[in-house]
């Protein structure tokens, strides 16, 4: 029976046998999928992890539009280099410390967030100087080899002075601990980090760019055809499919994944069991997914037509 699903990659065939409800649940589950830009970013992060300590550590800025998969890459990296506990020595080793930026770039909030990422809970009512040295000491005790700050664009919510103080704190940590810092965020974040000349100098950058109609997108569609648990072969290596997917998602990774999930679930529910270009024509299904921009543009067209 399982051999009948030879349109799927061998490791995914068993899932096509599952009842509809379980296949839908499988589709909705989070899973890491290897993508060219993401793999490139991961290998740059690995390089930083093994970088020898020296006076001026190289840092990295990972930036790109919302939904392009920045946080997925960082979480994956943290998972691949997760912390361990040495029972005998009673020491936690946390090579990768991943911190979400607090909603405002206050230094105290930042250190509190950093301590929380290292499971340190008693930092209430402490002064900024104490928090700073506590954060510094804990990073060093945990053997942190890389510090990652996600959603760095949140710092733009602060005043100019707060932003400068925050960037100073970042610089202090990388100089003092001699570890690389990775900042991730949108294009605005890039501009913000690069306004500090001392930081601009040492930050390399990786940009995640939206998908285009090229070989990489073709490969992505072919891999969806090989892994979505549908019982009949899909026709995803098709120029019309690629055009529809790009038009509906503007090439944003998160939207492409969501779109494929929705059309695959519809293919199961309707008993069609495959996806082709016509699967992307169902407005009821797709409209909620279409970005505000596309909706706004089509309204403009309608208005123009009406005029
Ligand atoms: N490599 C991947 N494997 C599986 N799913 C992915 C991958 N990359 C992105 N996604 C999907 O895209 C969604 C958006 O990704 P993510 O949250 O990482 O974007 P982001 O760039 O951090 O956006 P923001 O700037 O809004 O924080 C994820 O929830 C996930 O569903
Ligand atoms: Mg994110």
């Amino acid at each position: 029976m399982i051999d009948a699903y030879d349109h799927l990659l061998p490791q995914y065939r068993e899932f096509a046998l599952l009842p509809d409800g379980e296949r839908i649940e499988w589709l909705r589950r989070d899973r890491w999928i290897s993508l060219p830009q993401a793999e490139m970013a991961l290998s740059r992060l690995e390089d930083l992890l093994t970088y020898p300590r020296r006076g001026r550590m190289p840092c990295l800025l990972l930036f790109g539009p919302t939904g392009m998969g920045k946080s997925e890459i960082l979480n994956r990296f943290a998972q691949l280099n997760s912390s361990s506990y040495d029972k005998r020595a009673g020491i936690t080793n946390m090579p990768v410390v991943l911190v979400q930026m607090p909603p405002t770039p206050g230094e105290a909030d930042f250190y509190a967030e950093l301590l929380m990422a290292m499971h340190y809970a008693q930092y209430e009512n402490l002064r900024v100087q104490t928090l700073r040295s506590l954060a510094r000491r804990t990073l060093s005790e945990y053997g942190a080899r890389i510090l990652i700050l996600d959603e760095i664009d949140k710092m733009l919510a602060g005043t100019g002075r707060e932003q400068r103080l925050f960037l100073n704190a970042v610089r202090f940590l990388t100089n003092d601990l001699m570890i690389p810092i990775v900042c991730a965020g949108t294009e605005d974040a890039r501009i913000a980090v690069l306004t500090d000349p001392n930081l601009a100098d040492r930050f390399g950058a990786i940009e995640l760019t939206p998908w285009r109609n090229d070989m990489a997108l073709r490969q992505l569609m072919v891999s969806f055809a090989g892994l979505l648990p549908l019982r009949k072969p899909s026709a995803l290596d098709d120029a019309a499919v690629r055009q529809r997917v790009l038009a509906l998602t503007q090439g944003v990774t998160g939207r492409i994944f969501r779109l494929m999930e929705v059309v695959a679930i519809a293919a199961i529910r309707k008993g069609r069991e495959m996806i082709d270009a016509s699967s992307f024509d169902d407005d009821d299904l797709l409209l909620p997914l279409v970005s505000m921009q596309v909706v706004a543009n089509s309204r403009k067209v309608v208005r123009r037509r009406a005029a």
Side-chain angles (χ1 to χ4, degrees), residues 70-72 100 150-151:
K70 302 179 290 294
S71 301
E72 290 283 331
Q100 294 277 332
D150 193 9
E151 303 199 0

Side-chain angles (χ1 to χ4, degrees), residues 137-193:
R137 207 175 59 225
T138 315
L139 279 166
S140 145
E141 276 171 12
Y142 276 25
R145 283 191 282 144
I146 193 164
L147 173 61
I148 304 181
L149 314 178
D150 193 9
E151 303 199 0
I152 190 99
D153 22 332
K154 281 195 189 141
M155 82 180 220
L156 295 166
T159 61
R161 187 183 124 77
E162 280 174 322
Q163 291 183 31
R164 269 194 307 282
L165 282 174
F166 169 74
L167 291 173
N168 268 340
V170 170
R171 192 142 44 90
F172 162 80
L173 283 174
T174 170
N175 285 342
D176 189 45
L177 298 165
M178 288 199 252
I179 58 172
I181 292 191
V182 175
C183 292
T186 57
E187 168 71 19
D188 292 344
R190 188 178 76 91
I191 295 166
V193 169

Side-chain angles (χ1 to χ4, degrees), residues 28-36 38-39 42 62-76 100 150-151 153 184-187 208 211 224 252-258 261:
R28 288 183 172 151
R29 225 173 286 157
D30 271 342
R31 71 178 57 74
W32 168 259
I33 294 189
S34 168
L35 305 170
E39 292 299 332
L42 279 176
L62 175 64
F63 74 102
T66 181
M68 278 307 296
K70 302 179 290 294
S71 301
E72 290 283 331
I73 292 168
L74 302 178
N75 290 331
R76 171 79 176 166
Q100 294 277 332
D150 193 9
E151 303 199 0
D153 22 332
T186 57
E187 168 71 19
L208 296 182
W211 295 81
F224 274 125
V252 173
T253 311
R255 291 190 198 153
I256 295 179
F257 278 65
R258 184 88 187 91
E261 177 191 312

